[in-house]
Amino acid sequence: AQSVAQPEDQVNVAEGNPLTVKCTYSVSGNPYLFWYVQYPNRGLQFLLKYITGDNLVKGSYGFEAEFNKSQTSFHLKKPSALVSDSALYFCAVRDNNDMRFGAGTRLTVKP
Amino acid sequence: EPEVTQTPSHQVTQMGQEVILRCVPISNHLYFYWYRQILGQKVEFLVSFYNNEISEKSEIFDDQFSVERPDGSNFTLKIRSTKLEDSAMYFCASSRLNEKLFFGSGTQLSVL
């Protein structure tokens, strides 16, 4: 069965600095990988996805993610963090009918 | 952008009571899901539904849980006899095959 792991419960960065939220995956076939963000008291919002093609995927709000097959990783990145990026971030993997989420990483961006 | 809608936004019930959480998926989506999240932590998969039957379910989705698509638009999650530990935010989602999931804003279930 497919799964994703987010090794960090919490990531703290200063505003203006680059940020990385880590994700590794385990799938039996080709991975369909996603990042979602959850703001307080809200549902999950789609950020970006990797299905095939370029390893660097660009998404909403200036976020991007790099698919690395050899390291089975799909880390979320942003060159310059904003305070408003503070939220809970979930990596997810999809296999046909099923999507499974990582445990989530709480990103805090301090002014 | 199309939306998944969930009702009610909050549900308070007594332990042992039945609750039905309602969802209206996006109209041209064929895959439907229920997830739950306890205290803003991990998003836990409950069940996926396609072609009028359950595709997959997790160990959480025991005999107390059931899902139904009673008509062409609604998708419901029923908990027959609620327990304290069922208190959580329940999210409905829908999608097309191998595409992103669209999530509703959730139903906060509180079991007293």
Side-chain angles (χ1 to χ4, degrees):
Chain A
Q2 74 279 14
S3 66
V4 289
Q6 294 180 244
E8 302 158 315
D9 293 334
Q10 175 99 23
V11 170
N12 298 315
V13 298
E15 188 174 31
N17 283 0
L19 70 87
T20 299
V21 183
K22 296 180 181 177
C23 172
T24 58
Y25 66 88
S26 173
V27 298
S28 55
N30 292 323
Y32 292 176
L33 298 164
F34 299 78
W35 275 100
Y36 283 80
V37 60
Q38 186 181 30
Y39 297 101
N41 302 313
R42 301 287 296 277
L44 279 73
Q45 296 178 34
F46 170 78
L47 274 180
L48 51 79
K49 67 180 179 183
Y50 173 83
I51 303 296
T52 186
D54 288 342
N55 290 341
L56 186 65
V57 180
K58 294 189 183 296
S60 307
Y61 312 121
F63 283 93
E64 57 190 27
E66 185 169 11
F67 172 68
N68 187 316
K69 189 173 183 177
S70 62
Q71 297 184 3
T72 62
S73 67
F74 189 56
H75 300 333
L76 182 70
K77 300 181 180 184
K78 187 172 182 179
S80 179
L82 300 172
V83 173
S84 57
D85 292 330
S86 299
L88 197 54
Y89 289 82
F90 292 95
C91 182
V93 60
R94 177 148 193 183
D95 180 12
N96 290 328
N97 296 340
D98 196 9
M99 181 175 280
R100 301 298 174 107
F101 288 82
T105 299
R106 188 166 299 280
L107 172 68
T108 301
V109 181
K110 297 182 178 178
Chain B
E1 189 170 67
E3 289 185 345
V4 174
T5 56
Q6 289 185 243
T7 55
S9 57
H10 293 85
Q11 175 84 52
V12 180
T13 189
Q14 295 291 323
M15 189 170 57
Q17 294 298 304
E18 175 184 285
V19 294
I20 297 176
L21 309 182
R22 302 182 191 280
C23 170
V24 179
I26 293 170
S27 60
N28 61 351
H29 287 182
L30 299 177
Y31 298 86
F32 313 113
Y33 308 81
W34 284 100
Y35 291 83
R36 77 176 186 187
Q37 186 179 37
I38 297 174
L39 295 177
Q41 300 300 317
K42 184 175 182 178
V43 175
E44 299 176 305
F45 170 76
L46 293 177
V47 65
S48 60
F49 191 88
Y50 169 71
N51 200 25
N52 287 321
E53 61 182 24
I54 291 174
S55 303
E56 191 156 346
K57 60 183 180 180
S58 71
E59 59 278 3
I60 301 170
F61 195 88
D62 61 21
D63 292 343
Q64 294 298 314
F65 290 86
S66 63
V67 289
E68 195 176 41
R69 189 159 161 80
D71 52 42
S73 60
N74 291 287
F75 180 53
T76 62
L77 174 69
K78 181 191 289 186
I79 309 175
R80 288 189 185 81
S81 179
T82 50
K83 304 186 285 289
L84 295 176
E85 54 265 38
D86 293 329
S87 295
M89 179 72 87
Y90 287 80
F91 290 106
C92 173
S94 70
S95 79
R96 294 187 289 229
L97 176 62
N98 289 332
E99 283 296 320
K100 65 183 181 183
L101 270 60
F102 287 77
F103 282 83
S105 54
T107 294
Q108 180 66 56
L109 177 64
S110 298
V111 182
L112 305 179

